């Protein structure tokens, strides 16, 4: 069975990664923009899972189509798990991706404990009220300087020891094979198969 899903995100980096990963699993997607949907969901949840479900349900209601949302972030041990759910807003509204990762590098100056992980919660809401969820995580460290131009967000400063590269130095395919988003969407597509098989 095939059905079209709207991706409940306004982040172009995420949209690109989610579309490409989901297309490999045979899931057909459309962006909110293509449907003329501009609703900006206020992320009032305190967990990634809550925020993902909030976005999926709101966009599903607006589009009348099943919606898939991603709530994700970077959790740094030395910052007590921050910026975490506030990753997109770290440092306030005025900063762009580069401003945010520069602020992060500055707050990690002199810090020897550099362990961090990316986490991703996927939520899918169907017009009939059904929901599906999935999670993914990837461990790494915070680099001492930005490296690479790939990806988006904090990728240039997220160092992945097994490949000895930052996420910014990986191709889209390399990143998706190991990333928090890649893992969460893989789990999601398996759950979707089961859901459709019911
Ligand atoms: P939507 O809510 O519209 O999806 P957003 O960017 O506001 O977009 P989030 O609230 O989930 O999304 O914030 C996630 C932030 O975490 C994102 O803006 C990046 O700064 C960071 N992030 C998440 N996944 C990342 C990745 O794969 N690489 C680098 N940074 C990532």
């Amino acid at each position: 069975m095939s059905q079209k899903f709207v991706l409940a995100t306004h982040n172009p980096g995420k949209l690109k990664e989610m579309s490409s990963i989901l297309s490999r699993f045979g899931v057909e997607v459309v962006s909110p923009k293509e449907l003329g949907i501009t609703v900006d969901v206020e992320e009032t949840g305190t967990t990634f899972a809550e925020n993902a479900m909030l976005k999926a349900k709101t966009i599903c209601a607006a589009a009348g189509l099943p919606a898939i949302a991603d709530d994700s972030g970077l959790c740094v041990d030395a910052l007590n798990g921050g910026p975490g759910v506030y990753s997109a807003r770290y440092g306030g509204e005025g900063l762009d991706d580069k401003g945010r990762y520069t602020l992060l590098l500055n707050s990690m100056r002199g810090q020897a404990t550099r362990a961090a992980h990316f986490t991703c919660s996927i939520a899918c809401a169907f017009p009939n009220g059904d929901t599906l969820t999935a999670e993914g995580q990837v461990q790494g460290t915070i680099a001492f300087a930005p490296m690479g131009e790939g990806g988006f967000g904090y990728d240039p400063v997220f160092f992945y020891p097994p490949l000895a590269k930052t996420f910014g130095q990986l191709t889209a395919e390399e990143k998706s094979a190991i990333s928090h988003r890649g893992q969460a969407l893989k789990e999601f597509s398996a759950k979707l198969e089961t859901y459709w098989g019911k």
Side-chain angles (χ1 to χ4, degrees):
M1 185 179 162
S2 177
Q3 188 172 27
K4 205 177 262 188
F5 290 80
V6 52
L7 293 182
T9 179
H10 297 299
N11 180 319
K14 268 191 197 179
L15 191 70
K16 202 168 156 200
E17 287 187 11
M18 291 172 79
S19 310
S20 137
I21 298 168
L22 286 167
S23 73
R24 263 188 275 132
F25 293 120
V27 179
E28 222 189 310
V29 297
V30 61
S31 71
K33 205 172 161 188
E34 286 171 88
L35 299 174
I37 293 172
T38 52
V39 191
D40 201 12
V41 186
E42 217 192 318
E43 295 182 23
T44 51
T46 53
T47 63
F48 294 107
E50 269 181 73
N51 282 331
M53 193 54 81
L54 209 58
K55 291 189 265 190
K57 285 187 170 169
T58 310
I59 299 299
C60 172
L65 281 176
I68 303 170
D70 160 316
D71 201 68
S72 46
L74 177 65
C75 305
V76 181
D77 289 11
L79 303 178
N80 297 317
V85 289
Y86 303 107
S87 295
R89 294 164 268 173
Y90 185 53
E93 295 288 326
L95 296 185
D96 58 6
D97 280 351
K98 187 174 179 188
R100 278 185 285 275
Y101 73 61
T102 304
L103 176 65
L104 176 69
L105 288 181
N106 289 340
S107 35
M108 291 292 285
R109 203 176 286 155
Q111 182 58 253
T113 306
R114 305 192 72 88
H117 63 270
F118 271 125
T119 191
C120 173
S121 276
I122 295 293
C124 175
F126 293 87
N128 68 0
D130 287 350
T131 59
L132 294 174
T133 60
E135 302 274 337
Q137 280 201 355
V138 61
Q139 302 289 333
T141 63
I142 301 302
F144 289 90
M147 286 179 286
E149 307 284 322
F152 68 98
Y154 298 90
D155 282 343
V157 300
F158 185 80
F159 187 78
Y160 183 67
L163 295 179
K165 284 180 180 170
T166 67
F167 270 15
Q169 293 174 300
L170 302 181
T171 63
E173 290 71 29
E174 285 170 332
K175 180 183 170 186
S176 293
I178 51 168
S179 76
H180 49 313
R181 184 163 298 105
Q183 293 181 48
L185 288 174
K186 190 173 174 192
E187 186 194 340
F188 166 70
S189 60
K191 286 188 173 180
L192 190 59
E193 285 274 310
T194 309
Y195 176 77
W196 276 337
K198 273 199 305 197

